[in-house]
Amino acid sequence: MLANSSIQSMQTGFETLNLINPICQALHEEKYILPTPIQEQAIPYLVKGRDLLGCAQTGTGKTAAFALPILQWLEQDREAVSPKGVRSLILAPTRELAVQIGESFRVYGRHLRIKQAVIYGGVRPALQIRALSRGVDVLVATPGRLLDLLNQRQLRLDNVGVLVLDEADRMLDMGFLPDIKKICSAIPSSRQTMLFSATLPSEIVKLSRNFLSDPVKVTVNPPSSTVDKIEQKVLFVDRENKSDLLEFILEEDESIQRALVFTRTKHGANRIAKRLSKVKISTEAIHGNKSQSARLQALEKFRSGRVRVLVATDIASRGLDVDGITHVINYELPKEAESYVHRIGRTARAGTDGIALSLCDAGEKSYLRKIELEIRCSLNIDQNHPFHAQSIASKKTGVRKSGSKNFSDGRGRGSRNKSTARAEGKNKNFSFSRNRSPGKPVNGKKNIRNKRAS
Ligand code: AMP
């Protein structure tokens, strides 16, 4: 741990949130300059022990919003943790998200003496059991594995002082509600509870009534709104031309430095990854059928820039935190409109901007309509590609109010010969990019009140 005097002068913009110096120091080292809006609005309440209902998408800095107050509490309220005991518990829907949250705690808490563990399914539990045996200050877990180990008495939750439910809407979608209820019933009700969700459907509001006590409500984006720094476009294309269009986009637009491509199925993800690799576009696939180590390896290659494209299904990619994703490409539109919001939130993270392209075939027009209703605006149509299917574009959806047509030449082309289409496209100075400038987190408001279990 650093001596306080050596870090007294660090200016991070976080001092106004009353965070202790070792935490400010870690933020300074991470080059965080200002708190993001969710951090600015939530942290002052959380350090006072209030419950919180946070409506925020990933990419807004919500992990630090809950991690920093927890670390601060652990440091200020030091007490020995009992064997198999847990002082703070963070529940997350997927292994990837759990690992990322664990990593964030490690980074933000690097100048503190914090014992932490991350547990998730799909791997043998022996190492996790060993990590839990002496007790931990911070436990990040997926609900299924946590409940298994709880039932096996490998851990105790009777001393948990803070509980976080992260991506609660996703956990509900994945059927974790019964597990969450059992876990919560094993934790003292005097705990501090934080619930974060990208959207606030009625089930989440109900959940918050049951699990939170007089919560502060913080919304950094209206429910289901899309991050406004993302430029969104839809490209109408016949189903049989989709993979050609994807290949064309990735080959022609060099500004696509790091692209996340979403498919609906695992099989589809594998097929696309194989096809792109064949044409020398470095690609990995990530989905629930891959082993844990294969998933982490694929992520690492994507994160480090060794592969340019990561093809993913929804389940594998919720909450993925990879910096510098320039483009999200929906190879297939999601059936659930809310998934669209989650998907495109992988770009434009922490104040930068990004581009989201959605390839829409005739069968997906109804999904597009649902998405546009959800985000309350119509997507711009991009016709400036050689596979534009005018017949799909002109089929009515009923919500198109302001869909400006980008770069339109006004001609409908329908399905055409692929090589002619590609040749024409190559002559059009084709680009899905725009000038990119780094954004800055902005300030919000704050308030206080007191409560915490010890
Ligand atoms: P999250 O929404 O928690 O997944 O965070 C998204 C990304 O924002 C992560 O890469 C964080 O490292 C980064 N981040 C979080 N807070 C800040 C901040 N105040 N300034 C700059 N980057 C941040």
Side-chain angles (χ1 to χ4, degrees), residues 141-400:
T142 53
R145 174 56 59 94
L146 180 79
L147 203 57
D148 284 350
L149 295 184
L150 186 65
N151 289 337
Q152 292 168 28
R153 298 179 193 281
Q154 300 294 353
L155 64 110
R156 298 169 35 192
L157 298 179
D158 55 357
N159 196 31
V160 171
V162 184
L163 168 69
V164 179
L165 304 173
D166 194 19
E167 306 225 341
D169 50 353
R170 190 63 183 150
M171 290 203 278
L172 256 54
D173 285 353
M174 291 169 74
F176 282 135
L177 185 59
D179 288 358
I180 291 173
K181 282 184 174 161
K182 282 182 205 147
I183 292 165
C184 285
S185 68
I187 301 176
S189 57
S190 54
R191 66 179 184 254
Q192 179 184 27
T193 311
M194 313 171 196
L195 186 155
F196 289 86
S197 186
T199 55
L200 289 182
S202 54
E203 299 96 311
I204 294 289
V205 175
K206 209 167 134 197
L207 191 74
S208 72
R209 281 202 200 108
N210 290 339
F211 293 152
L212 304 179
S213 153
D214 186 25
V216 175
K217 297 188 186 76
V218 173
T219 300
V220 291
N221 275 306
S224 295
S225 71
T226 43
V227 179
D228 57 12
K229 286 187 168 275
I230 304 174
E231 188 175 327
Q232 302 168 61
K233 297 175 188 171
V234 59
L235 289 77
F236 292 113
V237 55
D238 289 314
R239 171 111 208 130
E240 63 271 23
N241 290 341
K242 266 198 177 180
S243 39
D244 280 308
L245 174 57
L246 179 66
E247 201 179 304
F248 174 80
I249 293 169
L250 292 167
E251 278 180 342
E252 294 300 306
D253 192 343
E254 284 171 3
S255 75
I256 303 182
Q257 290 156 9
R258 197 166 287 172
L260 188 54
V261 175
F262 282 102
T263 60
R264 271 200 299 269
T265 65
K266 300 165 196 165
H267 175 67
N270 285 339
R271 197 170 42 78
I272 289 170
K274 214 164 156 186
R275 182 176 167 149
L276 294 177
S277 301
K278 260 193 189 154
V279 293
K280 306 269 181 291
I281 297 172
S282 56
T283 307
E284 285 283 339
I286 183 168
H287 51 69
N289 273 6
K290 295 243 169 186
S291 71
Q292 179 62 7
S293 63
R295 285 156 78 169
L296 290 175
Q297 238 171 37
L299 251 185
E300 191 39 47
K301 282 191 195 165
F302 187 54
R303 217 188 280 269
S304 65
R306 275 183 290 150
V307 301
R308 182 172 162 230
V309 180
L310 186 68
V311 189
T313 55
D314 281 306
I315 193 125
S317 286
R318 190 69 64 106
L320 265 195
D321 174 19
V322 175
D323 285 339
I325 294 177
T326 56
H327 291 66
V328 166
I329 303 177
N330 291 311
Y331 181 80
E332 285 154 325
L333 291 186
K335 284 187 185 161
E336 307 291 332
E338 280 171 21
S339 295
Y340 175 83
V341 179
H342 286 291
R343 286 181 178 190
I344 71 166
R346 305 303 99 209
T347 182
R349 292 172 76 71
T352 61
D353 54 11
I355 293 181
L357 306 174
S358 295
L359 314 194
C360 177
D361 65 33
E364 294 172 314
K365 202 73 192 288
S366 59
Y367 305 151
L368 176 65
R369 182 169 181 276
K370 282 205 268 175
I371 289 166
E372 291 181 328
L373 284 170
E374 177 85 7
I375 63 175
R376 300 191 202 101
C377 71
S378 40
L379 298 188
N380 286 337
I381 301 168
D382 200 326
Q383 306 191 161
N384 190 29
H385 64 88
F387 299 97
H388 177 65
Q390 183 60 36
S391 55
I392 306 173
S394 33
K395 205 172 124 195
K396 270 196 141 128
T397 67
V399 280
R400 188 159 297 285

Side-chain angles (χ1 to χ4, degrees), residues 14 30-36 39 57-64 100 108 319 321 323 349-350 441:
F14 283 86
E30 281 302 289
K31 302 195 171 35
Y32 289 7
I33 297 164
L34 286 173
T36 64
Q39 291 159 7
Q57 297 161 356
T58 51
T60 54
K62 69 181 165 62
T63 313
Q100 272 174 207
Y108 303 142
D321 174 19
D323 285 339
R349 292 172 76 71

